[in-house]
Structure formats: C-alpha cells, structure tokens
Amino acid sequence: MAQGLFQHTLNVVNVGPKLFLDDLNTQAVSASQVNWTPPRPISAELAAALETLQRPEVAAKIDAANQEAVERIITAHPVLIGYERALDVVPGMTKNTIIHAGPPIAWADMCGAMKGAITGAIVFEGLAKDIAEAEQVAASGQIIFSPCHEHDSVGSMAGVTSASMYVHIVKNKTHGNVAYTNLSEQLAKILRMGANDQSVIDRLIWMRDVFGPMLSAAMKLAGEIDLRMLLAQAIHMGDEDHNRNNAGTLLLTQKLTPYILRTDFSNEDKIAVFEFIESSDYFTGPTWMAVCKAAMDAAHGVKHSSIVTTMCRNGVEFGIRLSHFEGFNWFIGPAQKVIGPMMASFKPEDAGLDIGDSAITETYGIGAFAMAAAPAIVPLVGGTVEDAINYSKTMMDITTATNPNITIPLLNFRGIASGIDARKVLDTGILPIINTAIAHKDAGVGMIGTGLTNPPFEVFEQALIALANDFN
C-alpha cells in the first residue's frame, strides 16, 4: 500500500487514536505512537493559579521543596517491629472508634461496601448482636468514624479497623515515624470488601485470638524485619506489590517462620496459621501499604512542596494531600469507576466505585507504577504486557525522581518513579495509574473483580489553586 501510493517506504508518526497505529502495524508499515490529548479546559481561577506557580521565584521554591520531599521518600527505611491490637498502638483509637479508608465521610454518605464492613466490625466488637442492630448503632452517633490516614494508618478497600483487630507496626528507621495497617483476611468474602456474614465474623475472631497474637509473639522474638529490602527483592521476583504479592508473601513468611515455630502456641494453632497464610498470596498486601505510608508521611509537611503524599478513596470520594499543607488538608473529588475483569457472573453494573487506601502504593511508586516488573499481573487487572511496561515509563512524566532502592529489572534496573508532582499532572494531562480490586456496590457481598483506574483531575486542580493562594 505504502510503496504503491508514495513510491517509497513510509515511516509514520501517529497522533491520536491508537487504532490507526494498529492498522498501520498490520500492514507492516513502520509507525510510532505519540501519546497526546487535547489540553483540558481550565477555569480562570486555575489559570491564575498556574500563572502564579510558574513565576520563576515561586517555581524555584517549589522545585527546592520537592527535592527535599523526594529525598525523604527515597531515604525512608521502613522495618517491621511488631503486631499488636489497634487499641494498644494506633494513635487516637478507642473502643468505639472505627477507622476507614479514604478521606472523611459520614455514616449516611458511605457506600455499600464500607457500610457492610463497618456493621460487621460493630458485631465483631460486641457492640451489636447482629447486622440489623449494628446499622442502628452506626447511625446513632455512638461510633466515632475517622479516616485511617488521620491515625498514622492505612487500610485496604473499606479499610475498616476497630479496637480489637491486630495491626502491623512499621517504623521508618530514617525519619522515626511509625505507620500501622490491619492484617490481611486473605481474599474474596471478607470484611474489607464489605462482606459481614458469620463466616467473616468468625474469621476475625480467630485472627484476634490466634493469628494476631502468634504474629505478635513471633515479632517479639524477631525484633525487626527489614521491609524495604524485602520489597526490593519482591519487585525483582515479579511482584508489583499492590495486587500481586506472591514473592513478597513468600519472603516475609520465610523471615517469620523460624520465630513462629519458637512461640508457645500449639502445633495445631501453628498449622492453622501457616494454612491461612498459604490460602492467599495477599498476606503481604497490607504490609507494603504500611511501608509506603511510613515513607510518604515522612515527606509530608515540606513547605512549598507540590509532591502528592496521599491518594485514597472511600468509595464515594477520592482524596489527596499535598506535602506543603501540614496536617489533614484534603482535596476531594468524585471516586471513579474501576475498569477490569469481573469474577464469576458479576457485571460492571454490580461494581462499587474506587475504594481503599491502597493507592498509597502508587503514591510511593510501586503498584501500577511498577507494573513493568510484574507482567503476570496483566490477566488479573486487564490490558497487555506492553501496557504494563508503558505505565511504568509514562509515570516518569509526572514524577520528580527515581528511587534507587527499589528497581525494575525489565527497565534496566531503573528505580521506581517517585514523587508525584501535582504541577506535572496538570501540565501533561497524565493522571496517576492505579490498579485495584473491585468491591460489590451493595453491603455484604465482597470482592467481585480487579482493574485499573485514575484519580479525578479536580483534586490536583484544587490542590494547586490552594498552593498558589499561599504564595499570593
């Protein structure tokens, strides 16, 4: 086709829909794709903010602050130092406090999965005899609801953590801060996905009475376990450590096993614990979230920095925090749909919106940002191996540096993309990519799929307007 019409071999650059590139490739025409989309229309307020942020003296301050924030991320050295009950270690935890994923939200506004998890937790804590009574308790004002992030914690999916649940304790040895996250219930019909029947409650009771105490006793013998080193190894072994945790689970179990065997628990209990860990590769999913939380909290509060230190969702809203704003200044937009393969007979219309604190992994630079390291995850979340590699490359366009402590073999051992700069998200029109699970939209069902999603642009626009206001 090409030579007949043009009398010479064509080399084509395609700007626009990729289907044109695919057609050219099927005709053996050399073609390259340019990733470009028309600029988003912006408000006058945002235009004024961007003008402020582009002033040379302002941009120089932001660049310097971002370097400091990213340096804190890269030098963070999280280690596991224990497992204890949330009531005993999580800041601000009380017997009637339930912490949850995402930005703040009231009971009446929560999605089905979060309400299912919260009512299950209320029954588990003995604050109601059944789910129906738990709904009344939740609506009565007796329960304090608060985001995990505001308690130095993160929680996957609904993120619901109550007083008696055991949590990881992860210390950032470089900067001294500590992060917490609950234990994995493994997969499918579980509290964090909104399920809450008796099988879910019974599993939580066993985790409280056997699993958590055994891990706690093992860590008292172990002292500490270097999680940054294990994370780096797991990435080299084919994990991306958000939704694929096969290697990470093996590595952490390998470290814990000698100490579990030395505890005073019965052999029957030890066998039950090992069988539980063996039942799912997700055992270390929460562990890596706490690692990322410990690193990102160290980077929070750097004056003038436009680095994103938190991305999280509650199933209704998506929230981010920017390093410049100390404390919990949330920038919020609508939670998005997650697009990907569905389980069993479930359909996309059964799915709830994006939910969970697990996007802390992408905020740090693993998860979907490191999918080039984990091509085997593609059947789980959708897309192609080429897509997975391109995600890891494209995220360099909106980040500030690479982390030499966590590298991706397939990219010539390039470090993971670190330090999302909200300015670059607006400049490029490229949103962070997130891979995640899908919970059913209704309470009581559980996990129904996995896929990919992005934050809404609004959160970055709000953050940059607020940052510019602080310079005016």
Side-chain angles (χ1 to χ4, degrees):
M1 180 277 288
Q3 288 192 342
L5 177 63
F6 295 99
Q7 304 300 311
H8 59 84
T9 301
L10 288 180
N11 291 295
V12 178
V13 175
N14 184 57
V15 181
K18 189 169 175 289
L19 62 91
F20 296 119
L21 177 76
D22 296 337
D23 283 346
L24 291 167
N25 286 337
T26 59
Q27 297 176 67
V29 175
S30 174
S32 300
Q33 177 71 24
V34 174
N35 292 320
W36 178 85
T37 54
R40 277 171 50 83
I42 62 174
S43 66
E45 185 182 24
L46 179 59
L50 295 178
E51 187 175 335
T52 296
L53 298 176
Q54 289 167 357
R55 294 202 312 251
E57 72 279 12
V58 172
K61 287 182 178 178
I62 296 174
D63 289 342
N66 286 353
Q67 287 302 317
E68 180 181 343
V70 170
E71 182 69 14
R72 294 185 190 183
I73 297 169
I74 292 173
T75 58
H77 192 167
V79 297
L80 180 65
I81 60 172
Y83 297 92
E84 297 296 341
R85 288 192 315 163
L87 182 63
D88 298 329
V89 292
V90 172
M93 179 59 76
T94 67
K95 290 183 178 179
N96 64 332
T97 295
I98 292 180
I99 58 176
H100 60 78
I105 188 168
W107 164 255
D109 300 324
M110 291 177 184
C111 67
M114 188 166 286
K115 284 188 172 180
I118 283 175
T119 51
I122 290 172
V123 173
F124 163 68
E125 292 291 346
L127 301 174
K129 66 178 183 300
D130 55 31
I131 297 300
E133 185 176 305
E135 291 176 351
Q136 297 174 8
V137 172
S140 69
Q142 299 174 48
I143 304 298
I144 300 169
F145 298 115
S146 187
C148 294
H149 273 288
E150 298 189 6
H151 298 262
D152 297 343
S153 302
V154 280
S156 60
M157 298 306 287
V160 165
T161 305
S162 59
S164 300
M165 295 179 184
Y166 272 73
V167 295
H168 298 64
I169 308 172
V170 175
K171 182 176 183 179
N172 181 343
K173 288 182 72 171
T174 308
H175 304 102
N177 59 302
V178 178
Y180 308 89
T181 191
N182 48 14
L183 303 180
S184 170
E185 305 163 72
Q186 307 301 53
L187 287 176
K189 196 173 186 180
I190 49 181
L191 192 81
R192 72 171 186 273
M193 297 285 180
N196 55 18
D197 68 14
Q198 193 57 48
S199 69
V200 175
I201 305 300
D202 289 344
R203 185 188 303 114
L204 291 174
I205 291 170
W206 176 79
M207 292 172 69
R208 178 196 65 196
D209 295 345
V210 178
F211 188 44
M214 192 182 299
L215 292 177
S216 175
M219 280 307 301
K220 285 181 171 61
L221 295 171
E224 73 173 39
I225 293 175
D226 188 338
L227 292 178
R228 188 177 74 177
M229 181 183 70
L230 295 189
L231 175 62
Q233 286 181 279
I235 294 283
H236 282 192
M237 294 166 68
D239 283 357
E240 43 73 63
D241 291 309
H242 182 164
N243 280 293
R244 182 176 170 82
N245 299 283
N246 302 46
T249 291
L250 288 172
L251 291 167
L252 182 57
T253 305
Q254 187 180 48
K255 290 289 184 183
L256 286 170
T257 295
Y259 303 105
I260 289 175
L261 293 175
R262 291 173 193 159
T263 64
D264 295 330
F265 287 80
S266 68
N267 284 340
E268 183 181 17
D269 283 340
K270 291 173 184 174
I271 290 169
V273 162
F274 285 122
E275 288 179 341
F276 183 68
I277 294 173
E278 189 272 338
S279 70
S280 168
D281 297 320
Y282 191 70
F283 174 59
T284 51
T287 313
W288 308 129
M289 288 173 57
V291 167
C292 298
K293 172 69 172 170
M296 298 313 300
D297 273 1
H300 193 69
V302 178
K303 189 176 182 181
H304 301 145
S305 173
S306 59
I307 297 297
V308 177
T309 53
T310 302
M311 296 194 293
C312 61
R313 328 67 115 197
N314 57 31
V316 177
E317 295 176 318
F318 195 113
I320 69 167
R321 292 194 300 155
L322 223 58
S323 176
H324 168 74
F325 300 97
E326 291 187 14
F328 301 99
N329 195 339
W330 293 99
F331 301 100
I332 293 171
Q336 305 293 296
K337 292 182 178 178
V338 181
I339 308 300
M342 308 298 290
M343 296 167 58
S345 59
F346 292 109
K347 301 175 182 177
E349 53 266 35
D350 298 322
L353 298 176
D354 190 19
I355 186 171
D357 289 334
S358 57
I360 192 70
T361 56
E362 280 83 8
T363 317
Y364 176 67
I366 58 174
F369 278 43
M371 278 177 60
I377 198 175
V378 167
L380 181 67
V381 299
T384 66
V385 171
E386 182 183 14
D387 292 334
I389 295 169
N390 285 337
Y391 292 141
S392 295
K393 291 180 177 177
T394 304
M395 291 303 102
M396 290 293 294
D397 294 341
I398 59 170
T399 48
T400 307
T402 56
N403 186 337
N405 297 311
I406 314 289
T407 60
I408 300 174
L410 190 66
L411 300 181
N412 293 320
F413 293 92
R414 192 209 73 192
I416 56 173
S418 299
I420 300 169
D421 185 343
R423 296 176 304 171
K424 292 184 177 180
V425 173
L426 263 292
D427 284 347
T428 62
I430 299 172
L431 287 165
I433 184 75
I434 298 166
N435 67 38
T436 189
I438 304 172
H440 198 282
K441 63 183 178 183
D442 296 329
V445 181
M447 179 177 174
I448 63 171
T450 47
L452 297 163
T453 191
N454 305 104
F457 265 110
E458 293 97 306
V459 295
F460 301 97
E461 294 170 347
Q462 292 172 27
L464 291 179
I465 289 171
L467 180 62
N469 286 340
D470 278 6
F471 279 102
N472 290 327

